[in-house]
Amino acid sequence: FDVTEPGAFVQTLLAKAIDEYIEQRSKPEAEQSIDERLVAVVERMFERCLADAQFHQAIGIALETRRLDKLEEAVARSEDVADSLAYATRVTQTLVSSREFRQLVLRVLVRLYESVGVEPHYLNMCQCLMFLDDADGVAAILTTLIQGGEEEHLLAYQIAFSLYENEIQAFLNRVNEKLAPAA
């Protein structure tokens, strides 16, 4: 069937197909046997979203279906990569319930923030690293910013205050230890 048809029947079929695909993908790998027709429908859905510049929807479907490859593709093909990364970060932190999968997504997002060719959004990167409990990564970013100019210094302060607001004292202590000058 044509996934681009706007009718209620097609939308219902798409919803059922995506739900079934999600259910199949959530099983342990040994038990996964996803019908190729379901895979084809989901792939066409991704292509439709990307062709129609519905990047947020593609990101949402990628997260729901646990398709990190499609998450990366949606961000990379987005017209506004920074916005797509910020959206993916927000959705991951608020809606992805599986801790294990959330950590995988956050690692992908950090890698994308570092590599997509736009000015890194250091605050979002540090938020991701904080959720990953990566004090070394946060300290490295703060160190880089501190070594920059006045604007970077202000950004480092903003990040530090934002991290402080999360009140994870043990994490902040580890970041502080990494930042402390060697005696």
Side-chain angles (χ1 to χ4, degrees), residues 143-154:
T143 300
T144 300
L145 292 172
I146 289 168
Q147 293 170 351
E150 182 179 351
E151 200 170 302
E152 286 82 10
H153 290 161
L154 294 174

Side-chain angles (χ1 to χ4, degrees), residues 34-120:
I34 302 174
D35 187 329
E36 290 301 317
R37 295 172 297 182
L38 278 178
V39 174
V41 168
V42 172
E43 291 291 331
R44 286 196 313 261
M45 199 50 210
F46 278 120
E47 284 309 313
R48 178 182 136 197
C49 289
L50 297 175
D52 293 347
Q54 297 293 322
F55 301 106
H56 287 187
Q57 186 174 1
I59 289 168
I61 294 170
L63 291 172
E64 274 191 286
T65 59
R66 297 176 174 238
R67 293 285 304 272
L68 296 178
D69 59 325
K70 293 299 181 181
L71 171 65
E72 290 184 57
E73 182 180 351
V75 169
R77 289 176 56 179
S78 171
E79 296 162 351
D80 186 351
V81 172
D83 176 64
S84 290
L85 278 169
Y87 176 77
T89 300
R90 204 171 40 255
V91 169
T92 299
Q93 292 171 349
T94 57
L95 299 177
V96 176
S97 59
S98 164
R99 185 175 190 270
E100 182 181 313
F101 182 65
R102 184 174 49 247
Q103 288 186 332
L104 288 173
V105 173
L106 291 172
R107 289 192 195 292
V108 167
L109 291 174
V110 168
R111 185 170 42 78
L112 288 171
Y113 274 117
E114 295 171 337
S115 68
V116 291
V118 296
E119 180 68 27

Side-chain angles (χ1 to χ4, degrees), residues 1-14 45 48:
F1 66 96
D2 183 5
V3 298
T4 61
E5 279 188 36
F9 179 70
V10 171
Q11 295 304 314
T12 302
L13 283 176
L14 278 174
M45 199 50 210
R48 178 182 136 197

Side-chain angles (χ1 to χ4, degrees), residues 101-171:
F101 182 65
R102 184 174 49 247
Q103 288 186 332
L104 288 173
V105 173
L106 291 172
R107 289 192 195 292
V108 167
L109 291 174
V110 168
R111 185 170 42 78
L112 288 171
Y113 274 117
E114 295 171 337
S115 68
V116 291
V118 296
E119 180 68 27
H121 194 290
Y122 290 113
L123 180 58
N124 282 352
M125 281 178 66
C126 286
Q127 290 284 337
C128 289
L129 292 168
M130 181 192 68
F131 282 112
L132 289 168
D133 199 33
D134 185 352
D136 291 331
V138 171
I141 289 172
L142 290 174
T143 300
T144 300
L145 292 172
I146 289 168
Q147 293 170 351
E150 182 179 351
E151 200 170 302
E152 286 82 10
H153 290 161
L154 294 174
L155 182 55
Y157 281 120
Q158 180 184 0
I159 290 169
F161 286 125
S162 178
L163 293 172
Y164 177 77
E165 286 176 351
N166 287 298
E167 300 180 15
I168 304 174
Q169 194 61 44
F171 179 78

